[in-house]
């Protein structure tokens, strides 16, 4: 035993030394630099960037290649949080949860504090995840092997119960949102019999709708519109002194145990194949809400709402690597690409990675991953703190300059995930949906959670039943998870009741859709509930010919959500009011005239659609600069020099980097195809 | 001096007139050839294509740049459709997708928006060979034991139309092997994990993949290769019985060949759009084969532990012709087995 321990410690040390080789370290720095930029740029995501970098690692040694790739992967979530906080646009699809409270903080002028909290919790999370990986290495195989399909299924269900905490004031809307997410997850080929479900003859829909385009559109567009409506910079109020940063760092330590618990949530969900950082951020956010005494603060700039996801999306990397390294089972898109890197270097994930080099394994290499994560995050966070002042200044740039660039990056990011032009349409549609939901005070996170957990739940339910009959319900792991799920729900209900009782005396703020009297009335809320109800009815009709296997999940979900949505429709029809969802924000800044709000909103929708149309007609390289130019000249009325500089910059960025250097297969514009005939 | 120049000029015209050499060279010169891979970056298809892309350029006259583009979706059908109806048939777009798409056309499945008979085939870098691997702890370590098993052996699969599901279904029908197919796993890695955790006994998929990802366990005996669905025994598995030999009837043998062996052989297809000029097809076929013999290429695949066992474009054409010429009764039977109502 001692000998084994000694080998472990020795490998841990060698792993440390490995990354301090000059070449390796420089490549790690390069990776960090790229990851930094990719994280900051909204839309562009870590997985896509990792895939684009794969060709460059062929000439590197294995240690160098992983230092490079992991350096990049480690920091995208950290810097992604920065964008989420400052712009309200997810820097990564895995840092969307940071928006919910981080962005309201930035609007209130507390950007410094939010960033301080996000960076510090990211660092804590990353280090937690890295050391969890190191500690898990000796015991990971038996640990993961006790988990079977039934446990995976129950974990997905446990995740779904978190919807309750993500619903803010309106549980019914949250449940409907979560259900709609679960339903949307059934779009595509049924995972078992391969029958297309809700694909309308579109091959593109066979693999389901991608999480990246949906998350980006869903959260980014409402903020872009808000920015346009305000017609100002992101920070409405006075940007406070940067002293807030220190406050944010201290917040991390004030809520130390919550940060640690969220880090643990991140690492553990990372281990489960099919969950990944996109899920983890919401679970952590829900946990932050749940463990707070005053839930009313959430969505309006509660620092815990930044700390939780900030820690979890970083700590998940360690967990993701556990399963990937020990079993060669990729737990996320990013890990699948990393497995490709293993392949290129002839490394076989599995037991070998956990055996010391002297015995023919790669243990020191594995430990070098741990150190890469740790140092990449320390370096990144340090750099961020140094330049924080400059970063925060971004919130004071006028929105009219930022909007066209953000719109373009949203589309670019959605495209690079699968190189599919159809994804741009998804961004557009979900952008509109996200905006409507925010406008009508529907909580958005449950929908995303349902969408991520849907496939895992469906697959594993059938696998459990096929493998064990109904006996799986009696497995100890399953029982524990059922107890946890029930406990969580009861706890949440109890707390909500208690806090509601405490708040009963407070006056309820009138929502914008207030309706006089109890007369049935068609308001926009009613219309939206009707729209959802009709959509679900249509889906049920569409699914009538599915066989039992393909149908069971969609029927169950659509059926129950259909009933819930009828209730909601009834409530809206009767003009029943409720507190706004957790995302309803107290807007700072001056009042804007209603007709201006309307024209600016419609204008931004127009540009959003226009960008899509130009990309489709002219291709990215031409459409990008053109759209930016037109927006700056027509809507923003910028001066010529600035307009030209930004237009040129866009062109260099799109054509030079993406087209020429990285060979991103931008489709040629439709217009060229028409003209050549 | 002047004469010499004239001679050189005439000579170059002469060379230019020899069909196929200079025009093609001048065609590919300075151009970019794209290999369109029907999967995401990071997988096996992508890995082969990227190595090939790195070395193929020097074997094509005019030394074009060769790059890889990923066009994932619908199991390769999107890439297939792109190659069939959108990519220009000029030799600058090479498709790389799974032979399962060809079977999908033969079985008249939904979503196949091309006619596979019209593609030009370049070749296959490695003949895939399907074997069945079972974990020792579940008790079955040989084909005989399997055949005699009183309870159905649980085999993990992904979905109908995928090797992991189709092979057990055909073996069950053709050999009468007791099998309970459990479908819904996302990839062979998850099947492997489920077998290691004891949820299922194992699965059937490509040997070259099992060899790399599960090789240690096979060596140690924790995992047994009990059956190979190949024409002849693989060099590494001389003693493992062939599925075809266990088949009692000609019909069973036909099902195994048409449903498993032939499609597996051409799994990793490389193709050109219909109507690509014959001359360029010839050049690319030749370049493809030369690439697969290139020592630098071989050194690189060795490092990545990728197997190489090529088929020429002509071979592929012949096999595909055979598959399209299958007796309608065989096709109907296979359809019934693979896609049970």
């Amino acid at each position: 035993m001692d000998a084994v321990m000694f080998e472990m410690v020795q490998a841990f040390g060698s792993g440390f030394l490995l990354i301090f080789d000059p070449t390796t370290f420089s490549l790690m720095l390069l990776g960090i630099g790229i990851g930094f930029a990719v994280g900051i740029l909204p839309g562009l995501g870590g997985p896509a960037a990792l895939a684009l970098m794969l060709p460059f690692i062929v000439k590197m040694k294995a240690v160098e290649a992983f230092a490079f790739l992991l350096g990049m992967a480690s920091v995208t979530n950290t810097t992604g949080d920065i964008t989420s906080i400052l712009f309200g646009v997810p820097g990564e699809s895995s840092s969307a949860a940071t928006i919910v409270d981080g962005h309201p903080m930035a609007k209130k002028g507390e950007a410094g504090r939010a960033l301080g909290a996000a960076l510090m919790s990211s660092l804590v999370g990353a280090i937690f995840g890295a050391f969890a990986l190191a500690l898990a290495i000796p015991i990971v195989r038996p640990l993961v092997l006790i988990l079977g399909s039934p446990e995976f299924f129950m974990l997905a269900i446990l995740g779904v119960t978190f919807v309750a905490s993500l619903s803010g004031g309106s549980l019914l809307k949250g449940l409907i949102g979560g259900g709609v997410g679960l339903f949307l997850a059934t779009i595509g080929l049924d995972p078992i019999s391969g029958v297309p479900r809700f694909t309308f003859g579109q091959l593109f829909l066979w693999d389901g709708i991608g999480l990246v385009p949906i998350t980006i559109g869903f959260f980014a567009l409402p903020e872009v519109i808000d920015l346009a409506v305000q017609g100002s910079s992101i920070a409405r109020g006075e940007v406070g002194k940067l002293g807030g940063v220190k406050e944010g760092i201290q917040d991390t330590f004030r809520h130390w145990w919550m940060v640690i618990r969220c880090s643990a949530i991140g690492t553990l969900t990372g281990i489960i194949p099919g969950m990944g950082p996109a899920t983890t951020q919401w679970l952590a956010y829900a946990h932050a809400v749940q463990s707070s005494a005053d839930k009313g603060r959430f969505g309006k700039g509660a620092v815990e709402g930044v700390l939780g996801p900030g820690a979890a999306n970083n700590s998940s990397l360690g967990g993701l690597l556990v399963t990937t390294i020990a079993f060669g089972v990729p737990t996320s898109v990013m890990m699948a690409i990393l497995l490709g890197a293993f392949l290129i270097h002839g490394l076989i994930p599995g037991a070998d990675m956990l055996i010391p080099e002297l015995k023919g394994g790669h243990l020191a290499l594995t430990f070098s991953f741990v150190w890469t994560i740790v140092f990449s995050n320390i370096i990144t966070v340090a750099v961020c703190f140094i330049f924080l002042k400059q970063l925060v200044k971004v919130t004071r740039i006028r929105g009219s300059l930022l909007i066209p660039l953000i719109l373009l990056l949203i589309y670019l990011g959605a495209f690079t995930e699968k190189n599919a032009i159809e994804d741009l349409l998804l961004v557009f549609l979900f952008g509109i949906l996200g905006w409507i939901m925010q406008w009508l005070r529907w909580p958005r996170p449950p929908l995303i959670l349902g969408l991520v957990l849907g496939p895992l739940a469906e697959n594993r339910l059938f696998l459990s039943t096929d493998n064990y009959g109904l006996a799986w319900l009696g497995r100890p792991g399953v029982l524990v998870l059922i107890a946890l799920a029930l406990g969580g729900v009861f706890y949440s209900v109890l707390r909500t009741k208690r806090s509601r009782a405490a708040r009963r005396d407070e006056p309820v703020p009138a929502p914008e859709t207030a309706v006089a009297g109890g007369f049935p009335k068609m308001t926009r809320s009613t219309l939206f509930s009707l729209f959802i109800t009709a959509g679900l009815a249509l889906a049920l009709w569409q699914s009538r010919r599915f066989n039992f296997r393909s149908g069971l999940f969609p029927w169950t979900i659509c059926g129950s959500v259909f009933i819930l949505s009828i209730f909601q429709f009834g409530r809206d029809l009767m003009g029943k009011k409720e507190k706004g969802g957790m995302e309803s924000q107290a807007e700072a800044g001056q009042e804007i005239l209603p007709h201006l709000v309307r024209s600016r909103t419609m204008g931004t929708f127009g540009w959003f659609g226009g960008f899509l149309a130009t990309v489709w007609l002219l291709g990215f390289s031409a459409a990008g600069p053109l759209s930016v130019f037109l927006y700056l000249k027509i809507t923003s009325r910028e001066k010529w020099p600035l307009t030209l500089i930004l237009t040129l910059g866009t062109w260099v960025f799109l054509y030079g980097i993406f087209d020429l250097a990285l060979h991103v297969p931008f489709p040629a514009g439709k217009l060229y195809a028409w003209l050549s005939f | 001096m002047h004469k010499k120049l004239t001679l050189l000029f005439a000579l170059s015209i002469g060379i230019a007139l020899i069909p196929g050499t200079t025009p093609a060279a001048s065609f590919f010169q300075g151009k970019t050839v794209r290999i369109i891979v029907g999967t995401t970056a990071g997988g096996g298809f992508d890995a082969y294509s990227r190595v090939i892309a790195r070395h193929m350029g020097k074997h094509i006259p005019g030394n074009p740049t060769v790059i890889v583009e990923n066009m994932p979706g619908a199991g390769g059908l999107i890439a297939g459709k792109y190659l069939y109806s959108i990519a220009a048939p000029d030799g600058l777009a090479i498709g790389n997708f799974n032979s399962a798409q060809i079977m999908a056309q033969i079985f008249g499945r939904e979503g196949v928006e091309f006619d596979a008979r019209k593609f030009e085939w370049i070749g296959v870098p490695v003949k895939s060979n399907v074997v069945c691997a079972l974990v020792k702890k579940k008790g079955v370590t040989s084909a005989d034991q399997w055949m005699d098993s009183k309870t159905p052996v649980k085999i993990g699969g992904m979905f109908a139309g995928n090797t992991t599901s189709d092979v057990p279904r055909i073996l069950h029908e053709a050999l009468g092997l007791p099998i309970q197919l459990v479908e819904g796993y996302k990839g062979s890695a998850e099947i492997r994990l489920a077998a290691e955790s004891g949820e299922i006994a194992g699965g059937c998929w490509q040997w070259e993949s099992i060899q790399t990802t599960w090789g240690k366990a096979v060596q140690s005996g924790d995992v047994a290769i009990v059956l190979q669905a190949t024409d002849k025994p693989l060099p590494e598995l001389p003693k493992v019985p062939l599925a075809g030999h266990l088949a009692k009837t000609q019909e069973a043998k036909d099902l195994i060949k048409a449903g498993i062996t032939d499609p597996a052989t051409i799994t990793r297809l490389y193709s050109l759009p219909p109507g690509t000029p014959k001359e360029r097809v010839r050049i690319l076929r030749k370049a493809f084969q030369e690439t697969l013999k290139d020592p630098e290429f071989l050194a690189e695949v060795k490092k990545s532990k990728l197997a190489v066992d090529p088929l020429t474009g002509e071979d592929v054409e012949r096999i595909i012709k055979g598959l399209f010429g299958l007796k309608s009764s065989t096709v109907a039977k296979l359809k019934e087995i693979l896609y049970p109502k």
Side-chain angles (χ1 to χ4, degrees):
Chain A
M1 192 60 210
D2 283 344
V4 174
M5 275 306 285
F6 178 72
E7 278 174 0
M8 282 281 164
V9 174
Q10 198 181 31
F12 199 55
S14 324
F16 180 81
L17 294 178
L18 273 177
I19 66 164
F20 283 97
D21 167 83
T23 322
T24 312
F25 199 77
S26 329
L27 282 167
M28 184 177 90
L29 288 179
L30 182 64
I32 293 173
I34 297 171
F36 201 103
V38 167
I40 287 259
L41 291 175
L44 278 185
L50 216 56
L52 288 173
M53 291 303 137
L54 267 190
F56 298 103
I57 67 158
V58 178
K59 296 259 150 65
M60 301 178 194
K61 280 189 262 170
V63 178
E64 298 164 356
F66 286 105
F68 174 66
L69 293 177
L70 278 178
M72 197 160 98
S74 311
V75 304
T76 51
N77 281 329
T78 310
T79 54
D81 283 341
I82 296 178
T83 312
S84 297
I85 290 170
L86 294 182
F87 298 95
V89 174
E92 292 288 298
S93 58
S94 48
S95 61
T98 326
I99 295 175
V100 184
D101 275 287
H103 193 53
M105 285 179 81
K107 283 185 184 169
K108 285 195 289 190
E110 283 192 322
R113 180 173 171 202
L115 287 175
L119 289 172
M120 199 60 216
S121 60
S122 290
L123 185 60
V124 173
I127 293 178
F128 181 97
F131 284 108
L133 168 65
L135 290 173
I137 282 169
I139 52 163
V140 59
R141 286 184 66 88
L143 195 78
V144 174
L145 288 178
I146 53 169
L147 297 175
S149 296
E151 286 79 15
F152 289 139
F153 172 72
M154 278 315 301
L155 281 164
I157 296 301
L158 184 64
V160 172
T161 62
F162 278 63
V163 162
S165 307
L166 291 173
S167 305
S170 163
L171 186 62
L172 184 58
K173 284 178 174 177
L175 288 175
I176 296 173
V180 169
L182 286 171
F183 157 67
L184 290 173
T186 64
I187 293 178
L189 289 192
D190 145 40
I192 298 154
S193 50
V195 176
R197 297 187 297 200
F198 313 113
T199 55
F200 310 102
Q202 295 295 311
L203 280 182
F204 150 73
L205 287 174
W206 275 29
D207 301 304
I209 44 181
L211 189 64
V212 171
I214 288 183
T215 317
I216 295 175
F218 209 50
F219 288 97
L221 186 65
E223 294 307 331
V224 172
I225 287 177
D226 185 46
L227 193 58
V229 167
Q230 296 296 327
S232 66
S233 56
I234 286 168
R236 313 281 145 78
E238 243 344 88
V239 174
K241 299 180 298 304
L242 227 79
V245 177
K246 213 179 256 167
E247 187 73 14
I249 297 173
Q250 282 168 356
D251 282 324
T252 310
F253 296 100
R254 242 172 253 149
H255 301 279
W256 177 251
W257 287 112
M258 190 208 70
V259 172
I260 293 295
R261 284 196 305 272
C262 286
S263 304
I265 290 177
T267 307
L268 288 173
T269 37
I271 291 176
I272 314 299
M275 282 198 163
T279 324
T280 234
Q281 53 176 344
W282 296 112
L283 300 187
Y285 184 81
H287 177 73
V289 176
Q290 210 171 36
S291 57
S292 158
D294 181 12
K295 292 187 182 129
R297 291 186 303 122
F298 283 87
K300 295 167 194 136
V303 76
E304 296 98 309
V306 174
L307 293 169
N313 62 14
N314 273 279
S315 70
S316 66
L317 184 62
L320 291 167
L321 280 168
V322 166
T323 319
T324 309
I325 292 172
F327 296 98
V329 177
T331 34
S332 71
V333 183
M334 205 182 238
M335 289 302 120
I337 296 160
L338 210 63
L339 268 187
F342 276 90
L343 197 67
I344 291 172
H345 283 280
L347 291 167
I348 298 144
D352 273 5
M353 300 303 297
L354 316 178
I355 296 170
E357 267 72 359
L358 284 173
K359 294 184 184 164
H362 306 283
L363 188 61
L365 179 68
T366 305
F367 280 126
S368 81
F369 299 172
V370 173
W371 290 115
T372 304
I373 298 175
V374 170
F375 283 99
S376 303
N377 273 283
I378 292 177
I379 292 168
T380 307
V381 170
V383 169
C384 284
F385 277 129
I386 294 170
F387 293 107
L388 215 47
K389 224 174 225 163
Q390 279 68 29
L391 278 173
V392 176
K393 275 190 191 145
V394 174
T395 56
R396 305 179 69 175
I397 296 178
R398 51 184 179 278
S400 49
L401 279 183
L402 294 174
I403 290 169
L405 303 177
I406 293 179
L407 286 181
L408 188 67
L409 284 167
I410 291 172
Y411 279 133
L412 182 65
F415 176 79
T416 49
E417 198 214 1
K418 281 196 287 189
N419 298 335
I421 194 94
E422 291 90 341
D423 274 339
L424 307 196
L425 195 62
L426 275 186
V427 171
F428 182 72
L429 294 177
F430 276 85
I432 294 176
L433 182 68
W435 180 79
I436 294 177
M437 284 176 77
Q438 197 202 34
W439 184 44
L440 300 178
R441 290 156 201 269
W442 280 68
R444 288 172 292 170
L447 189 143
I448 299 285
L449 196 63
L451 185 70
V452 239
L453 292 175
L456 185 66
E458 180 175 20
N459 260 25
R460 294 294 172 175
L461 174 62
F462 281 114
L463 285 173
S464 305
T465 321
D466 286 356
N467 274 316
Y468 306 98
L470 283 179
W472 66 265
L473 284 163
R475 281 164 68 106
V478 171
L479 292 175
V480 169
L481 289 165
I482 290 177
L484 266 175
L486 288 179
V489 170
F490 278 129
Y491 178 73
S492 179
V493 168
L494 215 72
R495 278 199 85 136
T496 316
K497 274 219 169 114
R498 216 181 291 159
S499 67
R500 213 173 262 167
R503 260 201 312 246
R504 191 149 296 158
D505 307 327
E506 291 173 29
V508 179
E512 58 171 315
T513 50
V515 183
F519 298 110
K521 197 170 174 190
M522 269 296 168
T523 58
R524 29 195 191 221
S525 297
T526 324
L527 273 178
F528 185 62
S529 318
L530 185 66
F531 168 75
I532 292 181
T533 317
L536 289 163
L538 199 70
L540 274 171
W541 173 252
Q542 273 270 327
S543 64
R544 70 195 181 281
R545 296 229 178 85
F546 290 170
N547 60 38
F548 176 73
R549 289 234 141 175
S550 312
L552 183 64
F553 221 70
W555 294 332
T556 319
I557 292 163
C558 286
S560 36
V561 184
F562 177 69
I563 293 167
L564 290 179
S565 66
I566 289 178
F567 272 111
Q568 179 63 39
F569 174 64
R571 283 179 75 136
D572 286 338
L573 202 62
M574 299 317 290
K576 212 160 172 130
K577 295 172 222 157
E578 57 205 305
K579 301 190 288 97
M582 64 164 43
E583 291 179 88
S584 61
Q585 296 141 3
E587 300 285 353
Q590 78 270 36
E591 283 300 312
I592 295 170
L593 296 170
H595 79 273
L596 263 184
V597 171
R598 210 168 307 132
S599 70
R600 283 176 183 167
T601 305
M602 293 327 280
T604 313
F605 270 128
W607 280 110
F608 195 49
F611 268 47
L612 176 65
T614 17
V615 169
W616 185 65
L617 282 174
L618 302 173
F620 261 103
S621 308
L626 181 68
S627 311
V628 169
F629 174 80
L630 290 177
Y631 189 96
L632 291 177
K633 232 29 228 173
I634 296 172
T635 294
S636 317
R637 307 218 176 91
E638 292 297 335
K639 294 209 172 70
W640 278 103
L642 192 58
T643 306
L644 288 178
I645 289 171
L646 281 175
T647 307
L648 187 71
T650 311
W651 181 77
V652 168
F653 179 71
L654 282 175
Y655 183 71
I657 299 183
F658 284 84
D659 215 347
L660 273 188
L662 296 174
H663 299 304
V664 170
F666 288 140
K670 273 281 172 244
L671 200 62
Y672 308 124
W674 293 336
L675 288 179
S676 66
F677 283 112
Chain B
M1 186 65 198
H2 208 75
K3 254 184 194 170
K4 255 188 191 167
L5 265 180
T6 319
L7 195 71
L8 208 70
F9 184 67
L11 207 69
S12 52
I13 293 215
I15 290 169
L17 286 177
I18 301 171
T21 46
T22 318
S26 58
F27 172 76
F28 282 108
Q29 190 140 36
K31 296 261 172 53
T32 301
V33 175
R34 301 175 302 144
I35 301 184
I36 292 136
V37 183
T39 64
T40 48
F45 273 75
D46 182 63
Y48 273 103
S49 283
R50 286 189 191 273
V51 190
I52 291 171
R54 275 194 289 281
H55 298 278
M56 194 162 163
K58 56 182 182 263
H59 299 284
I60 303 174
N63 306 105
T65 314
V66 183
I67 60 163
V68 168
E69 285 183 6
N70 298 91
M71 195 180 283
L77 287 176
I78 289 182
K81 178 187 170 189
Y82 174 83
L83 201 71
Y84 190 77
S85 46
I86 300 171
D90 53 7
L92 297 179
I94 298 176
N96 173 214
F97 48 87
N98 195 308
S99 66
Q101 307 321 327
I102 293 176
M103 299 315 286
Q105 187 193 341
I106 292 173
F107 295 135
R109 303 292 298 165
E110 250 181 281
V112 184
E113 297 175 24
F114 52 75
D115 181 354
R117 285 166 292 192
K118 298 200 171 132
F119 284 119
E120 301 286 350
W121 304 105
I122 299 182
V124 162
V126 60
K127 284 180 264 187
S128 290
N129 301 289
V130 177
V131 303
C132 294
L134 303 179
V135 290
K136 188 172 84 181
K137 67 176 170 195
K138 282 294 195 178
V140 176
T141 52
S142 74
D144 290 338
Q145 282 177 346
W146 192 352
M147 205 61 111
D148 297 337
S149 171
K150 293 279 179 296
T151 49
V153 174
K154 277 188 206 162
I155 297 294
M158 289 167 69
F159 53 86
N162 180 277
T163 306
T164 52
S165 280
D166 292 356
V167 172
R169 282 210 165 94
I170 293 172
L171 292 178
H172 174 68
E173 181 70 24
L175 307 181
L177 276 177
I179 288 175
Q180 183 198 344
L181 180 62
V182 181
E183 291 178 286
Y185 292 100
K186 296 231 177 263
S188 56
E190 279 195 5
I191 296 176
R192 193 158 43 76
L193 185 63
E196 285 188 19
S197 76
E199 188 163 293
I200 50 174
C204 307
W205 69 94
Q206 284 80 13
W207 168 240
E208 65 268 19
S209 152
I210 291 180
Q211 206 178 9
T212 40
T213 52
W214 232 358
K216 273 272 162 71
V218 172
Q219 261 172 27
S220 71
D222 287 334
V223 169
I225 307 295
V226 295
L227 203 61
Q228 43 186 338
T230 47
D231 278 335
K232 48 182 190 298
L234 293 167
E236 306 91 348
L237 305 169
K239 288 189 188 135
V240 177
L242 297 182
H245 287 179
L246 296 179
K248 302 242 165 50
T249 62
Q250 189 56 43
E251 195 201 7
K253 283 188 207 299
D254 287 349
L255 288 178
I256 291 170
K257 183 170 160 55
I260 305 178
T261 323
D262 280 353
T265 312
I266 54 165
T267 301
R268 299 170 187 282
L269 283 167
Y270 285 80
S271 58
L272 292 167
T276 306
K278 290 287 171 216
E279 183 51 29
R280 288 183 206 158
V281 176
R282 196 190 60 78
I283 289 169
L284 291 171
R285 276 180 171 179
K286 185 159 163 277
F288 188 77
Q289 293 303 324
E290 282 173 11
T291 308
L292 298 176
K293 289 185 203 116
D294 183 329
E296 287 175 40
F297 168 87
L298 290 172
E300 212 177 303
V301 287
K302 194 173 168 214
K303 181 180 146 207
S304 305
K305 301 198 168 72
L306 297 172
V308 175
D309 182 11
L311 279 179
T312 64
E314 290 83 353
D315 294 333
V316 174
E317 216 169 273
R318 191 171 34 74
I319 294 173
I320 288 178
K321 220 171 169 184
L323 287 170
F324 275 96
L326 282 175
K327 281 189 295 205
S328 59
S329 60
T330 314
V331 173
K333 181 83 192 163
L334 275 173
K335 227 173 127 173
E336 197 186 302
I337 299 169
L338 298 178
Y339 303 99
K341 286 273 171 266

